Amino acid sequence: MALAKSLMIFFLVMACFGVCFGAVYKVGDSEGWRYKGFNYTAWRLDKDFTVGDSLLFVYKGKDSVVQVDRKHYQTCNSTDPINETRSGNDTITLDKPGHFFYITGYKEHCERGQKLDIRVSPPTSPSPSPSPSQSPHKSSAPSIQSSAAIPALILMAMAVVVLSSTA
């Protein structure tokens, strides 16, 4: 009975992690973020990026990941970045829907194809509309708007019922 209970808890935790958190996409897969011979346009074609997912850029040396607008993406211009990271192990959380553009900080590498543009879809469940009394300005306070919150709560409730019935 203890084994069954342990397995139930294990699978519940694993299911919750799968439901509660978005996917993590390692840009370039095993190749990582580099300019030699990798096609980032082809890499992104079979991906479905959604709000809550993350991009993981892994690279060596003095490279960087620069988020730019469309114009700077097309010209490989990193002089006016929206955001820039340089750690060599950079995670960028996709926190809103839209079209996003990332390039390397090295113009010649960008011109050789080290750049990525992606489209991020909204969460699968619609967020509730703000009531008329709410301000249209964004609050700096955190809020729970994850499309995964309700399924996660349902899974937890089911676990409590199952575990209490086996006790």
Side-chain angles (χ1 to χ4, degrees), residues 8 22 33-34 55 66 88 104:
M8 174 63 91
W33 182 239
R34 63 190 195 109
L55 299 175
V66 184
T104 175

Side-chain angles (χ1 to χ4, degrees), residues 2-139:
L3 176 63
K5 196 179 239 185
S6 297
L7 285 172
M8 174 63 91
I9 291 171
F10 172 77
F11 286 117
L12 174 67
V13 168
M14 295 309 290
C16 189
F17 274 106
V19 171
C20 297
F21 301 103
V24 176
Y25 294 96
K26 182 178 177 189
V27 176
D29 296 323
S30 63
E31 298 293 321
W33 182 239
R34 63 190 195 109
Y35 75 94
K36 292 183 180 179
F38 194 84
N39 185 335
Y40 293 98
T41 301
W43 174 83
R44 71 160 165 81
L45 288 178
D46 67 344
K47 314 286 188 284
D48 183 23
F49 303 104
T50 305
V51 170
D53 291 347
S54 298
L55 299 175
L56 174 61
F57 290 85
V58 178
Y59 52 93
K60 294 179 181 174
K62 296 183 179 184
D63 206 343
S64 61
V65 178
V66 184
Q67 183 181 357
V68 294
D69 60 22
R70 179 189 305 270
K71 178 180 139 189
H72 288 87
Y73 176 83
Q74 292 169 337
T75 60
C76 290
N77 183 343
S78 63
T79 60
D80 189 21
I82 296 168
N83 190 26
E84 183 171 8
T85 57
R86 298 178 172 272
S87 75
N89 193 26
D90 306 321
T91 300
I92 297 172
T93 301
L94 306 174
D95 59 359
K96 61 185 173 184
H99 197 172
F100 299 94
F101 304 91
Y102 302 93
I103 64 174
T104 175
Y106 293 111
K107 185 175 180 77
E108 58 278 359
H109 294 185
C110 178
E111 290 170 342
R112 292 182 187 167
Q114 189 181 0
K115 58 186 188 174
L116 174 68
D117 75 292
I118 62 167
R119 293 188 186 273
V120 178
S121 303
T124 53
S125 300
S127 298
S129 305
S131 68
S133 64
Q134 289 180 323
S135 167
H137 297 84
K138 286 190 174 182
S139 167

